[in-house]
Structures are given as C-alpha cells and as structure tokens.
Amino acid sequence: MPHEVKNRMGKYRVITLFVLAFVLFMVLVIRFYSLQIVNYATYRSEAVGNMLNRIDISAPRGIVYDRNGKKLIYNVPCYNIVVYPDIIKQHPETWEKLEKLTNVSIEKLKKTMKRNQYGSYRPAIVLRNIDSKLNAVINESIQDLPGVEVSFDPIREYSNKILSGNVLGYTAEIRRRDLYKYRNLGYKLGDIIGYDGIEKQYENLLKGERGYRYKQVNSMGKPLSDQAYEQTNPIPGNALYLTIDQDMQAHAESLMTDYNGAAIMMNYENGELVACVSSPSYDSDMFTEGLTQTEWDSIVQDKRIPLFNRAIRGQYPPGSIYKMVAAMAALEKNVITPETQFECTGVYDMGGRHFKCSHVHGIENLNEAIAHSCNIYFYNVILELGVDDWSAYAKKMTFGELTGIDLPGELGGICPDRSFLDQQYGRRKWWKGMWLNMVIGQGDVLVTPLQALRYAGILATHGKVVTPHLLKTIHYTQNNSIEKPDYPISYVDDISRSTWKEIDAGMLNAVQSNWGTGRTANVPGLDMYGKTGTAQNPHGEPHGWFIGFSKLKDFPYAVVVFVEHGQSGSDIAAPVAGQLLKAYYYMREQ
Amino acid sequence: MKFKDFFSFKMSEIDFPSLALVFLLSGVGLIAIYSATSFIGSEANMQYFWKQIMGIAAGLAMFIMLYSVRKSFLLSYAEVLFIVGVILIIIPFILSTVSSGTNRWINLGAFQVQPSEYMKFILIIMLAKIFSETHRSPLQPGYVLYPLGVLAIPSILVFLQPDLGTTLIYIAIFAAMLFASGYRLYYMFLILAPFITVLAAFNSWVFLVWGVIVAVIIFLNNKNVLFSVGMFLMNILVGVMTPFFWNGIKPYQQQRILTMLNPHLDPMGAGYQVIQSQIAIGSGGFHGKGFLQGTQAHLNFLPEQHTDFIFSVISEEFGFIGITLILFVYCFLVLRWFRMALTAKSTFSAMLIIGGTTALLAHIFINVGMTVGLLPVTGKPLPFISYGGSFLMTSFGLVGLVLNGNAE
C-alpha cells in the first residue's frame, strides 16, 4: 500500500490557508462596511429613486387683474379624456365605445394617444377640452370603459370684455424649438408657457412651481397602487395687478375697431398705462384651446396683421407732432424768439425742389405755427438751427431709445442725426433738404406710438421722463406680500421755463383755440393740450397722429392715438383722443 | 463485494456543530428565498420555498453518501471515478450538437444532471490521492505535472462550456491542495508568474517593476542559469505579446472583458445586475429595511435574486448586522474545517478536508464578491442559501467529504 496511515501535511501550510481564509472574510466584511455604513446615504437615495415614479402636478398660473381688481386672465378647468395604454390594450372594445360616445374616429383617438404617451403605465390624453355634456356622459358610463378616465388641467381664460391679445399675450404648450433655451429653467415638453404680452413678460411670476406626486413602481415602471407615496403640492403662480383699466381698455378698443393703429393712455406722473390698444388685436383664448391650421392661417395671413403690436413695435413717421422738438431747440439755442415770424406761402423752394405746406398760412409767429401746424415756419427754423442741435433735443425727448415698457419685443424707432445721415447716405452725400423733411417728422424719422406718448408726458410735465408700464403690483401667493415694482424716472432739466411755456401755449392753441388743428380733440373743462400729426407715407393715405394731455392737477393723463392711413391727425386721431380722455375723466369720477 | 465494503455510516463521529450551523444557514436561505420570491402586488410564490426544502433533503442524502463512503474505496477507484466524470462532462457537448441548448446539462427527463458539479468531488478525491502518494517529492519541480494534467482536462472542458466560474473553483481547489501538499513556493510562483505578467503588461511602469521582481525571485532561487534565464525570458515574452493579443481581438470582445472588470461601463447591460445589487446592499444600511421590506428585491430591481444574488436580498433586509452574523458563521465553519486538516488521521483525509473546504470557501467568496462588486459576475450560487437543489447537493456533499475526512 503506497499510502501511509499518517498525516504528513505541513502544519504551517494549513495555518497559512487558515489565515488566508480569515483575510478573505475580512475583505468581505470591510466591503460590506463600506457599502452599508460609509456609503449608506448614496445607495439609499438611489434605491428610493429606483422605486418611485415622479408624476408632475402642474401649478395653476397666476391670475391677472386690472387696476380695479377685475379679472383679466384666470384659470378654468379643462376636461380631457385620458386612457391608460396598458389597460385599454387588454380591452380593445373600449375604443369602439369611445368612438361612439365622442364621435371621433378610433384612428384619430389612437393617434392622439400615441402623441401624448409616455410609457404604458402613464395616462395619455386622447381627447382634449371636452364639453360638460360629454364629460357627464363619459362619467356615467365610466364602468363600461376600462382604462378610460377624465382628467382635468387648469387652462387660461381671458376676459371677454376686451380683446387685447397684444397686451395680455397667450399661453400654449412650449414649442419644440423653444425648449432648448428653457430646458435649464426646468421646462419640459408639454409644459404650458406664456407667449407674447404679459404672459411672456411675467412668465417667471405667473408660472408658479409645479408639484410632484410620487408613486411606487416596480422595475417596469408599473404603479403598484393609486395612492401617492409622497406629495409635494404645487405653488400657484403669483397674482398680478395691471395698471390697465378694463373698461377703459374696452372703450379704447371699441373706438379703434374700424382702424389699424394704436391708442394708449398713460398717467404721465408715474407711467401707468390705463389703456394700451393696438388695433386690430386677437383673442388670446384661441391659442389656449389649440389653434387649428385654418385658424392659424387666418390670423397669420390677415392683411391687418393682428399679431403685430403697433403700440410698441410699429415704427412710423411721426409727422407734425415732432415739431415741438425743433421749436424747443431753436428757443433754447436762441435761434428764434417767440416773436420771430416767417412767411408761409404754401410752398418752399430749395435747390429746385418744392417743399409744401398744407395751407397758405401767411406771416406767423411760433405759437401760430404750432397751432396751425405750419411746415414752412419750421423749414426756416431748421435751416437756421442746424441738424446737430435739433437731433440733440430729439434725444432729450428720448426718441430713438426704448421706453422700457414691460412688454416683450419693443422697438426703438429712428432718431436721425448727422452721423446717422453720414452712415445712411455717405459723408457729404446728403443735402440740407433732408432736414426739411426731418423737422416736420418725415423722412428718416420713425417713432412708435408709445414713444410719442412718453414725449407727450415729458411735454406735459416739463421734463419728467417716466417709464410706461403695465404691472402695478405683484401679490405673492407664498407669503401674501405685495410688491410694487419701481420704475425708473428721470428729468430733462436743462430747458428753461420760458421755452416750456411757449410750447405749452402752442399746444394749448392747437386744441383749445377754434383755429387749432387739434380742436376736434378738445374737451371743455379738461384743460387739454395737444398736437396733431399727419405723416405722408409711400403706402397710401397719410397716417394720422394725435398726442395730447390734460393739465388738470388731479387728472394727469396723456394720450396718443395713431391711425394708419387715417387721413390727417384732426380727422380721426384727435377726436378719438378727446373721447378717451373725456371717458376716463368721467369714469374716474364714478 | 458487499455494500459495507463501500459505505459505513459512523453516526458518532459526525462533527455536529458543523452540521448544525449548515442547517442554520439553510434556514436563513429558506427565509431569504421566501422574501426574494414574493413581490409587492402578488402572492408569495411558495413553490420555490417547498422546492428548496426538498433540495435540502436531497442535499442531506448527498451528505450522508459522501460522509459514509469508505476512503479505501475512494483510493482504489479514484481514477475510475475521474474517467467516468470526464466522460460525463463530454456527453453534453456531443448532445448539444444534436439539440440546441447549453453544454452544461444532461437532461434525464424528470431532472437534469450537471456533471461539472460532481467533478468537484471527483477532482478533490483524485487530487487527494495524488498529493498523498509518497513516491513523488514535492521538492521536485516535476511533482506538479501529473496533478496539473488531472486539473487541466476537466478545467478546459468546463471552460469551453463556457463556465468560467466553475473553472475558477477547480483551479482554487487545485491551488490550495497543491499548496497544502508542501510543493515548493518558488515553483508555484513560476506557474503563477505568467498570469500576473499578462495583467502587468497593460501598464509599462507596472510591467517594469514586475519584471524586476520576477528576475530577482528567479535568480535568488535557482542555480541553474540556463533554466533561470529561460524562465525569465518566457515571462518577458508573454508580457510583450499581451498588447498584440489585446489589440488583435475584436472591440466587442475587449468591451466584454472591460465590463466584466468594471460594470459601471455598461450600466443598463452587463453592469445592471451589479449596480442594482450594490444599491440593494448599500441601502440596507446598518440594520436593514426589515424582513419583506426590501424595495430593491420586492419591486423586482434585483436580477436572479433568489439564486445568484440572494445575498443582496439578505443585505437589504437585514443590513450590516445580519450580513456580519452570516459571514461569521461561514468563517467559523471554514476555519473549523481547515483546522480539522491538522488532526486528520491520514494525509488523504487531510487533503479531502482541504479540497472540500476550499471548494466551499471559493464558492462563498466568488458569490459574495460578485454581489458586492469585487469580482466579475460569474453566476455562482451561495452555498446552503441560494435557491437550487442541484447546488445544495454539491454543497452538502462537500461538507460530507470534509467530515468524512475528519472521521475515523
């Protein structure tokens, strides 16, 4: 037998194995210590993340009121039919029942489901915004419709007293191409976001904070019960009070319905806009319910361009309302005195070209020239004054710069000066004849109605430059506090009293004398001042302008009315302006 | 020949503490399987629980058989057993060319047989016989050749199945028994060195340092200059060839190897199991989430949770305390058995003990190492605890061999 009945195994070898085994176990224990004790928090949160499915609860957007607390934008429930893809798959006959109840074809329902589907276990919308009748029908037969539910979302509704899509804006599901810039702010596909107007401008204040409901799910994402495991409630958006007066806005809209143009009224002491109308406008509600292609086409192809906010984006030649710039500059630079006279023969020759006036005004002083809106007086003024001083005063009147209104997309117009002419036409390639156009608010001069209004405010206050705005106060939902935003105010303080008085006198006569061009705007008792403008343009009839204000101590309101192709300032613009101021004066009295 | 010539059941010599602890672990396994097979939203699936109890009974039978088998019988028939075992491993290869399927199983209708499992016993018996023979000296380098051949045949076959895990178990059994046999450490180093060289070759600095270590060890231990230089150059050659081999294989093969080494490279694929397992373990914390409270297990995030990843379920529900206790029991058993090798009556008995204990230790370490992400996923179950009758029979059988070695 080759095997000894004796154990020859080396003691130390066995002990080595013994120790090695112990070391291996210690390695495992240390590893467990590292996983379960040292890194416990990390793994615990990963396990929690694994088992919970986060479902968003959308926050209701903030409500928007007018200055008197009337609701301009609010939320209403919108009922949608949703299906659970995993359940309805097991009950295909449900589709036929749904088709019968809704009168929408199965293919269309399924197509909508596919578009809104995220996984098999999350409800997907098949029909949006159903009426209350269908809602009741569905709820009655819900027992026979496995996998079907009626869900509701808050959607935006806009006051039907006004039609001010340009001011209020609209909300819609975020567009795919906008998503990349909003993703960092937490937006996701399917989220509602403000487009245009107040909805866009104050998106951050209005949107609120979405809440979350956590549901326990298995590794396939299937919820295990209906109960929420944990819930964070959404925080509704903040309420905004606008400076707009709904009734005034509605009145301005009604006065402007027949015209393309803008009508804005502002408290010139603080910049609050009481009415801000761009005509025509659009109904914001159309967008929230989801536009059909034909609706969209009809808006986009409308020749009157309702989506275009003329009040802040329309840049037009201002015509004669610009003449006070030259008058101020000439008086301040002592080029003329109030008594300086020029003769108007109805036409002015320069370099072989005829520059016309509306009438033959004869010999006039400054006051008469403003009230009559004589062009030839100002041709003489600009030739003596020169373009540099003139443009310096135009800039003092803040032309060429944004007013800073709290609406998206404002444009700044053009305030031409020497360097502008050099750039536009080349050095020494332009001639003084261009000045003659510019001084009467033609040629290269472009202003927005809002700029014209601020200009009116500066004239009314003798130099106070306010920031026109729409937001009066913010009412925060989270702590019930109220914030009144500050808007910058500055002063043009290097214009002498006597000059202001001359300008005032001109504008007074333009409205309150029975020979002024703006007399159609006059409202007795309102101490009205104003100036018409009639701007020639290559597209057709001249544009009509009127800027004006009341000098009553307790009624510090300025108004601008601009009417595209409105013949002349005195025909349409001035009467509308007068009616606006009058209406608001009595509205306030009540 | 009578039955008694082959078997003798010596009740009194059974090491009862070992058996008691093995049954304790089996009980833990039953609890864990109950937990691992009940999911939230559905009834607990008792089918696995009852099958596991039957598996434990079958394991007990296997224990009694291998505990009772006479060592004289094993010594006489070791080679026969080995040849039969190798043939059984080859059979699935031949069958699989006929019917599709894996190369691991022989299907006997009612149940399946996995010959590579039984080869563990046979390999231990065969190597125990070889290492207890006295006519070869463990001080000679050639001592290793015959046992190495015995290891190589089943290892290569099993590796081709492919079953890397079992191959590693075979190698671990062999290495421990070779070491225990008193084979010169220097020779073992020479066998091991080329494998380390392959790993070292991926970094030139590590390769340089390793080359110096190899050179120093070889020249300090060997007076035959030609042999030493040859050995050294062989290692260098292996190292130099490694990058060529690595760049020669296809990118997806490289990827598979890299993922095996670092599961986070492929979090939704091969790495998913390991990551989810680590989340389960880590989220268990100090005292665990409680019985049936493991979210990873009950929401079905854990893969293979009643078999290969059963330890993750236990870790999640019973925490660091529970795990430490179980590891302590395993450690206690392994150390107790290794100690038995010192008091065994013969070298053969001691070798059986070393082989059986190492096989169990290797299984434990490979399985637990896998669930904690220390070792690649090889799909090896945990002795006594994982679900599966076949492997319970292996585990209990190995205990039978160990206690058999301890008896008499």
Side-chain angles (χ1 to χ4, degrees), chain A residues 389-447:
Chain A
D389 284 332
W390 173 79
S391 61
Y393 276 81
K395 280 172 194 157
K396 279 190 206 292
M397 294 299 110
T398 70
F399 286 117
E401 64 181 68
L402 299 176
T403 66
I405 190 180
D406 46 352
L407 280 179
E410 191 197 3
L411 293 178
I414 293 173
C415 177
D417 54 10
R418 185 180 291 275
S419 68
F420 171 86
L421 291 172
D422 282 345
Q423 236 171 30
Q424 191 78 355
Y425 304 102
R427 277 178 86 86
R428 302 212 181 84
K429 296 238 172 82
W430 48 271
W431 69 304
K432 285 184 177 178
M434 289 178 182
W435 298 0
L436 303 195
N437 277 331
M438 279 154 41
V439 76
I440 59 162
Q442 299 276 165
D444 289 306
V445 184
L446 291 178
V447 306

Side-chain angles (χ1 to χ4, degrees), chain A residues 61-67 70-74 156-172 193-203 206 240-246 249-250 253 273-278 281-285 287-288 306-307 309 312 405-408 470-471:
Chain A
R61 282 175 81 85
I63 294 170
V64 179
Y65 301 91
D66 85 340
R67 63 182 303 119
K70 292 178 184 158
K71 280 183 188 172
L72 297 178
I73 315 177
Y74 46 99
R156 283 305 229 193
E157 184 118 324
Y158 297 83
S159 163
N160 50 22
K161 293 213 172 66
I162 56 173
L163 188 79
S164 300
N166 280 316
V167 173
L168 301 180
Y170 61 93
T171 57
I193 191 169
Y195 281 106
D196 203 6
I198 291 293
E199 293 272 29
K200 179 176 184 176
Q201 182 76 22
Y202 292 112
E203 169 68 18
L206 289 171
L240 303 184
Y241 280 73
L242 300 188
T243 58
I244 293 282
D245 182 307
Q246 178 175 248
Q249 178 82 1
E253 277 176 14
L273 299 183
V274 176
C276 180
V277 170
S278 168
S281 191
Y282 59 89
D283 181 6
S284 305
D285 287 315
F287 287 90
T288 45
L307 290 179
N309 190 344
I312 62 164
I405 190 180
D406 46 352
L407 280 179
L470 290 162
L471 178 61

